Amino acid sequence: MQAGVSCKQLVSTESVNSMASRVEHPAAGYRKIFETVEELSEPIPAEITGVLPSWLGGSLLRMGPGLFEVGDEPFYHLFDGQALMHKFDLKNGQVTYYRKFIRTDAYVRAMTENRVVISEFGTVAYPDPCKNIFSRFFTYFKGIEVTDNCLVNIYPIGEDFYAVTETNYITKVDPDSLETLSKVDLCKYLSVNGVTAHPHTDTDGTIYNIGNCFGKNMSLAYNIVKIPPAQKDNSDPLEKSQVVAQLPSSERLKPSYMHSFGMTDNYFVFVEQPVKINLLKFLSAWSITGATYMDCFESNDSMGTWFHLATKDPAGYLSSHKFRTSAFNLFHHINAYEDEGFIVVDLCTWKGHDFVYNYLYLANLREEWEEVKKAAMKAPQPEVRRYVLPLDIHREEQGKNLVSLSYTTATAVLHSDGTIWLEPEVLLSGPRQAFEFPQINYSQCRGKKYSFTYGLGLNHFIPDRIVKLNVQTKETWVWQEEECYPSEPLFVPTPGATEEDDGVLLSIVVKPGAERPGFLLVLDAMKLTELARAAVNTIIPVTLHGMYKP
């Protein structure tokens, strides 16, 4: 493949993936995206090559880790680095780049004390060594101090914007100045211990999300929550937020880890995976010995994976529908929709019950290329899968495939115990080649039958390409350039467009050896060819999720 040239493959996905997997990274330039950077005092101008669409004006906002050590103390996991907010502004044919650390409690206290003060996902904070032994001892028994390090995503609630992680704390930010405005505790408004970083937004601006909570008899459950759109009286929509449905947990004190969920016009889809949070370990280990979130995860190697359905309006759990399948890890739903009495659910999966986050410690990601590959060989194998859930299950005989949709090979079979066993259709698979951080034309296709998804290609966990997948034909298109490390591609539709893929993809790309090593890449979403890039003279660390603000 030529550098800087996107290659269009209208052949089998296998040949595309074997092509992608042959790309090597012996120079290990990817290490640069896992290094600390400084924030900017003011926006810097970008040098544009190519032609930006005249209609493209707004801000690309992104979240990710930007500080990977404090004083002499390193952060150990990819999800520990302190939250850095990035912004590419596109205005009148000009582009600027700006970034600022979010002033969370975790960040401010770390800066003040020059050490890790609040435990993060994979890094434990120890009591201040300068305190005497008695005050250190009592520090351990004060209970859990939950991090507010909001490095994962940013989304609007009403007229406001919030940077989020997966705890109960979200941080209100100014999307123009990138100033930190206030810390918000969701527990004040909702019965949840935290919510996912991937809410769904309805056409009217209503937001839905899911979090775990204590249900009946002190057992764990999952609450689906609803936050109304912007209020006419300018009151805070969070004050009118509510729990609309509760789903049971398969294990009383061990909720499943969740990062996203599915929503169609009439249903919520929750996938309960075998990666569990051991709540007793979380409560005891944390307060007595000092532990991280990662220490409290465990895998249930016998449960497999469960699919739960709830109706949306009126909201309620469908306890009669018990869907089961073999074990996989799940972080990102692509899309879900209803068709002829079925719910089609497309997912980015990782086979088995071994937790993928075990492989995302910074020490692993910063290794020499051959070592990175070796470690990834032990990790679960990624696969894009389609599952089909039948809604009408009452009049069917056992052992028969209930799926009658003509365009999929996914199956659903009723067992004697009343459970329905699901087998997926594989939409994309390649050895150690993941399609992750998926995006769709959300405004047009969320909850609807669709054709295209766009994702970040991970090569042995290293992000090195952007992929477009036709979920109906399994055709793929790839954009890739030598020694370039892109981020999640966000789809922005062309104003007034009728075609699903008429628009552009925006991705922040890092090319460590270049004179201007960070750039905003603008791709034609139809052909996956480059329209323009806006390059700046600074390295940009890895970003996770974000949004486009017109």
Side-chain angles (χ1 to χ4, degrees):
M1 188 189 326
Q2 288 178 298
V5 177
S6 77
C7 44
K8 183 177 178 179
Q9 295 279 337
L10 297 181
V11 287
S12 73
T13 51
E14 285 75 23
S15 69
V16 172
N17 281 305
S18 61
M19 171 200 71
S21 64
R22 277 204 302 271
V23 175
E24 301 282 332
H25 301 283
Y30 48 80
R31 287 176 178 162
K32 283 292 190 191
I33 62 176
F34 307 118
E35 289 180 7
T36 292
V37 296
E38 292 184 349
E39 62 183 16
L40 297 172
S41 56
E42 58 186 13
I44 56 176
E47 190 178 90
I48 301 169
T49 50
V51 180
L52 290 167
S54 57
W55 54 265
L56 188 64
S59 303
L60 175 68
L61 302 169
R62 304 281 304 174
M63 295 303 306
L67 181 77
F68 292 95
E69 65 284 311
V70 186
D72 299 330
E73 297 185 12
F75 289 108
Y76 292 106
H77 201 274
L78 176 61
F79 304 139
D80 295 347
Q82 297 300 290
L84 183 64
M85 189 171 170
H86 308 258
K87 178 173 70 137
F88 272 97
D89 258 337
L90 301 100
K91 207 172 180 180
N92 304 326
Q94 304 294 308
V95 179
T96 58
Y97 169 68
Y98 188 40
R99 66 181 177 222
K100 210 169 175 64
F101 282 104
I102 306 274
R103 268 48 179 183
T104 59
D105 286 354
Y107 175 81
V108 171
R109 289 170 59 188
M111 292 290 96
T112 306
E113 299 188 34
N114 201 32
R115 65 184 187 90
V116 179
V117 179
I118 298 177
S119 289
E120 297 290 351
F121 204 75
T123 303
V124 71
Y126 292 101
D128 186 349
C130 299
K131 289 182 180 172
N132 67 42
I133 191 162
F134 292 107
S135 58
R136 288 215 304 272
F137 179 77
F138 285 114
T139 302
Y140 274 132
F141 286 92
K142 277 197 308 196
I144 297 168
E145 189 160 25
V146 173
T147 184
D148 60 346
N149 182 22
C150 49
L151 78 161
V152 182
N153 202 0
I154 178 170
Y155 59 83
I157 296 176
E159 303 289 338
D160 300 317
F161 290 79
Y162 290 88
V164 302
T165 174
E166 298 183 324
T167 69
N168 52 301
Y169 293 118
I170 61 177
T171 304
K172 190 170 163 181
V173 293
D174 183 324
D176 298 320
S177 67
L178 308 193
E179 292 294 325
T180 305
L181 300 177
S182 60
K183 174 177 171 175
V184 175
D185 182 356
L186 289 172
C187 293
K188 287 183 179 170
Y189 306 100
L190 291 160
S191 173
V192 284
N193 301 324
V195 292
T196 79
H198 293 283
H200 279 290
T201 308
D202 241 338
T203 43
D204 67 350
T206 301
I207 286 172
Y208 293 94
N209 210 336
I210 187 167
N212 59 52
C213 66
F214 281 105
K216 293 174 186 163
N217 308 321
M218 276 304 282
S219 63
L220 256 289
Y222 308 99
N223 276 347
I224 294 171
V225 302
K226 176 181 179 179
I227 305 171
Q231 303 292 293
K232 288 188 176 123
D233 61 2
N234 290 331
S235 62
D236 186 350
L238 281 169
E239 291 173 358
K240 295 184 173 70
S241 57
Q242 56 179 316
V243 172
V244 293
Q246 188 166 97
L247 286 58
S249 171
S250 60
E251 289 187 75
R252 193 176 161 196
L253 286 171
K254 294 179 183 176
S256 284
Y257 175 68
M258 53 190 166
H259 187 76
S260 65
F261 67 107
M263 186 172 88
T264 71
D265 286 343
N266 300 295
Y267 295 91
F268 301 107
V269 182
F270 171 55
V271 180
E272 193 178 18
Q273 62 177 318
V275 175
K276 297 283 186 174
I277 303 164
N278 184 326
L279 212 67
L280 292 177
K281 192 188 281 187
F282 185 80
L283 294 169
S284 59
W286 199 294
S287 53
I288 297 167
T289 58
T292 69
Y293 296 83
M294 281 296 293
D295 294 327
C296 303
F297 285 110
E298 57 186 51
S299 290
N300 181 328
D301 56 8
S302 61
M303 81 167 267
T305 303
W306 298 16
F307 283 69
H308 298 273
L309 286 182
T311 51
K312 199 168 153 202
D313 190 21
Y317 177 55
L318 285 181
S319 57
S320 56
H321 291 58
K322 297 182 171 68
F323 300 105
R324 306 285 183 264
T325 190
S326 51
F328 61 79
N329 281 214
L330 169 68
F331 307 104
H332 298 115
H333 282 245
I334 300 173
N335 198 13
Y337 62 89
E338 301 159 43
D339 192 13
E340 295 178 25
F342 298 92
I343 296 180
V344 179
V345 185
D346 292 349
L347 307 169
C348 297
T349 70
W350 300 77
K351 294 181 191 173
H353 54 76
D354 184 17
F355 193 24
V356 171
Y357 287 0
N358 291 331
Y359 300 89
L360 298 182
Y361 281 94
L362 290 165
N364 292 355
L365 298 172
R366 290 168 173 157
E367 279 280 13
E368 295 288 346
W369 177 235
E370 290 305 316
E371 293 302 312
V372 165
K373 287 200 294 185
K374 234 180 263 180
M377 294 305 284
K378 300 173 191 161
Q381 168 70 11
E383 210 163 65
V384 179
R385 292 178 176 178
R386 166 165 288 178
Y387 288 89
V388 178
L389 285 53
L391 289 167
D392 184 7
I393 57 172
H394 303 293
R395 296 187 300 277
E396 301 290 350
E397 68 263 32
Q398 293 166 29
K400 179 186 159 196
N401 175 24
L402 308 184
V403 180
S404 57
L405 294 175
S406 61
Y407 55 82
T408 181
T409 57
T411 60
V413 174
L414 183 65
H415 286 191
S416 57
D417 62 358
T419 62
I420 296 165
W421 186 262
L422 305 174
E423 286 292 346
E425 175 184 5
V426 176
L427 301 181
L428 185 67
S429 178
R432 314 300 154 194
Q433 304 295 310
F435 177 97
E436 264 291 354
F437 297 86
Q439 293 286 318
I440 59 171
N441 182 340
Y442 192 87
S443 57
Q444 186 182 319
C445 298
R446 196 273 306 144
K448 304 278 192 291
K449 194 173 181 182
Y450 73 116
S451 296
F452 301 109
T453 176
Y454 314 91
L456 184 62
L458 303 180
N459 178 359
H460 299 77
F461 292 115
I462 301 301
D464 72 355
R465 64 197 181 281
I466 292 169
V467 181
K468 175 183 181 178
L469 167 66
N470 184 325
V471 296
Q472 297 188 29
T473 65
K474 303 184 188 177
E475 294 167 337
T476 59
W477 296 256
V478 174
W479 178 93
Q480 188 164 38
E481 187 171 305
E482 214 172 314
E483 290 302 313
C484 276
Y485 304 101
S487 62
E488 170 190 69
L490 282 176
F491 179 85
V492 183
T494 303
T498 51
E499 296 290 318
E500 180 188 328
D501 58 349
D502 185 351
V504 297
L505 297 178
L506 303 179
S507 173
I508 294 178
V509 184
V510 181
K511 190 170 189 175
E515 188 183 336
R516 290 171 174 262
F519 62 92
L520 172 65
L521 176 67
V522 184
L523 296 177
D524 177 327
M526 275 190 178
K527 304 174 190 158
L528 222 65
T529 50
E530 182 171 337
L531 298 174
R533 62 178 67 182
V536 288
N537 186 18
T538 182
I539 287 277
I540 300 172
V542 60
T543 62
L544 300 173
H545 300 290
M547 62 170 288
Y548 175 73
K549 178 178 170 283

